[in-house]
Amino acid sequence: MLLQLIGLFAGLSMLAFGGGTGVIPDMQRAAVDQHHWLTAAAFLDMFAISRAAPGPGSLIVLLIGLKAAGIAGAAVSFAAMFGPSSLLVHIVARYWQRAARSAWRAVVERALAPVAVGLTFASGLALMRNTEHGWLPWGMTLLSSALFSLTEINPILLLVLGGGTLLLVGR
């Protein structure tokens, strides 16, 4: 079990461009569908808890590891998710500043930005597919996303309004 956790999170660590959000669909697929450590509902609950807690959103790996293999699983999952990418960043950072004026650095930065955005967008769609049931929740999600993207409305207010609306209509 611990080796499976290491394999999963070490691999995902190296794919997490722009943050851990981009690998949430793969994490969900592995934890729920492949290894059956969690149900889909439990994964979504853990995702919500990890987003509400202070610190990086990738801390969901602790919760998955804890559920899969107890305290040892949480520790191994944490080390596997943050260790490889931290080591890579440390190594790359040593050379990144030296290449400040080189053409290849600008190309890499421009190329990785859309990758990070695309992975994050795909993550949101994957989570939305597993949580939204019916036209009203879909509509609330789309409306909240549009308002969040296009206005300066506080996201907490959007959560309260969306949750309140769904509670009022009995969803």
Side-chain angles (χ1 to χ4, degrees), residues 7-21:
L8 170 64
F9 292 121
L12 291 177
S13 171
M14 300 307 287
L15 296 175
F17 288 100
T21 305

Side-chain angles (χ1 to χ4, degrees), residues 30-54:
V32 174
D33 300 330
Q34 183 180 355
H35 298 292
H36 307 288
W37 294 325
L38 312 165
T39 64
F43 183 89
L44 293 171
D45 289 344
M46 288 181 182
F47 178 78
I49 290 167
S50 71
R51 292 298 180 222

Side-chain angles (χ1 to χ4, degrees), residues 121-132:
F121 184 71
S123 174
L125 287 176
L127 289 170
M128 199 168 83
R129 248 192 356 245
N130 289 322
T131 59
E132 309 302 330

